[in-house]
């Protein structure tokens, strides 16, 4: 009687493979799924790819709340978690050692966001696009207002930005020169938390904005 080969995958509980996947970069999870049907089906779970998306955000300094995770399918989670790696491959494939090569193709963005000037009063506004592309922090120097805007998830821009929060910071300017130079924003991300520092002249104000 011929001896039938048995894969070690059969003898390892599925929850062990899920824990292994949690330690891998998202492209490596995809590669692991291609090894056999058991791993393909066992790792094709929302929980696996939600953790993969969080890991990608942590390693690439992307703001996790930028993604509407609760509304995303497993396939959408996979694409979001592997997006930076696919973009890296795309740029490498179209790169050239000669930076002046006019024959290089121009990569077109998948989607565009146009922020109306009437919404943000851009002539007096200092803006910061939070990594992830969904949230925009704006400091209006003329009105002395800090605001947070939702531009829409990646690939699904909103028809018009939605203002999520606004704070009257009441900055004091040392002189007109400081006013003309405007303000500076420093935005730090910590999981689902945004910390925003605003400085002008000798004045510094720190704000904290929670996301959910």
């Amino acid at each position: 009687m011929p001896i039938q080969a048995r894969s070690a995958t059969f003898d390892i509980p599925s929850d062990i493979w899920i824990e292994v996947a949690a330690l891998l970069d998202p492209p490596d999870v995809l590669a692991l799924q291609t090894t056999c049907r058991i791993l393909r089906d066992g790792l094709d779970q929302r929980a696996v790819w939600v953790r993969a998306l969080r890991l990608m955000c942590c390693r690439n300094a992307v703001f996790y709340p930028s993604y509407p995770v609760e509304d995303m399918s497993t396939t959408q989670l996979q694409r979001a978690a592997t997006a930076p790696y696919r973009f890296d491959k795309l740029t490498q494939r179209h790169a050239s050692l000669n930076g002046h090569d006019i024959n290089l193709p121009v990569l077109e963005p998948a989607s565009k966001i146009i922020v109306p000037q009437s919404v943000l009063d851009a002539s007096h506004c200092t803006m910061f696009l939070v990594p992830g592309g969904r949230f925009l922090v704006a400091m209006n120097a003329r009105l002395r207002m800090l605001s947070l805007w939702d531009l829409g998830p990646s690939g699904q821009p909103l028809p018009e930005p939605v203002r999520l929060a606004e704070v009257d910071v009441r900055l004091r300017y040392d002189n007109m020169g400081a006013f003309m130079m405007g303000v500076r924003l420093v935005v730090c991300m910590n999981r689902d938390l945004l910390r925003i520092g605003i400085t002008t002249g000798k004045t510094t104000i720190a704000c904290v904005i929670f996301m959910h």
Side-chain angles (χ1 to χ4, degrees):
M1 177 182 296
I3 299 176
Q4 184 176 7
R6 180 181 176 89
S7 171
T9 307
F10 286 92
D11 302 321
I12 301 177
S14 59
D15 56 341
I16 298 297
W17 285 114
I18 292 176
E19 292 302 319
V20 170
L23 302 175
L24 301 176
D25 286 329
D28 296 329
V29 179
L30 280 179
L32 190 61
Q33 284 187 285
T34 63
T35 57
C36 67
R37 179 179 56 80
I38 293 178
L39 291 180
R40 183 195 66 194
D41 297 338
L43 298 180
D44 190 28
Q45 301 181 34
R46 280 187 54 83
V48 170
W49 287 102
V50 167
R51 293 172 70 173
L53 180 59
R54 275 200 174 273
L55 179 63
M56 181 281 290
C57 290
C58 179
R59 293 188 175 179
N60 292 275
V62 175
F63 194 43
Y64 179 72
S66 300
Y67 299 95
V69 175
E70 297 299 324
D71 300 326
M72 296 172 69
S73 66
T74 302
T75 300
Q76 290 173 324
L77 289 168
Q78 288 178 350
R79 287 191 59 80
T82 57
Y85 308 94
R86 290 185 286 107
F87 180 77
D88 185 56
K89 285 186 177 181
L90 182 66
T91 54
Q92 288 185 20
R93 188 163 64 246
H94 292 84
S96 170
L97 295 177
N98 179 7
H100 302 286
D101 189 350
I102 62 174
N103 295 318
L104 287 176
V106 177
L107 300 179
E108 290 291 334
S111 61
K112 298 180 181 180
I113 298 174
I114 299 177
V115 181
Q117 182 173 342
S118 59
V119 174
L120 298 179
D121 191 9
S123 60
H124 296 280
C125 212
T126 300
M127 293 176 282
F128 178 85
L129 183 63
V130 178
R134 178 171 185 174
F135 300 106
L136 183 72
V137 177
M139 176 62 205
N140 190 306
R142 181 172 59 84
L143 300 179
R144 304 185 184 188
M145 299 293 292
L146 174 71
S147 55
L148 178 69
W149 298 83
D150 184 356
L151 306 179
S154 176
Q156 306 172 46
L158 298 174
E160 186 169 296
V162 175
R163 183 168 53 200
L164 300 177
E166 189 172 64
V167 180
D168 184 350
V169 295
R170 292 298 176 186
L171 288 173
R172 294 178 300 170
Y173 297 101
D174 297 331
N175 52 53
M176 184 56 68
F179 176 83
M180 294 302 292
M181 291 177 63
V183 300
R184 293 187 178 184
L185 294 176
V186 179
V187 182
C188 299
M189 301 174 295
N190 182 11
R191 295 183 179 271
D192 300 347
L193 177 69
L194 283 180
R195 296 181 183 272
I196 305 171
I198 311 163
T199 65
T200 180
K202 298 180 180 179
T203 303
T204 301
I205 294 179
C207 298
V208 177
I209 296 179
F210 293 90
M211 308 296 299
H212 59 80

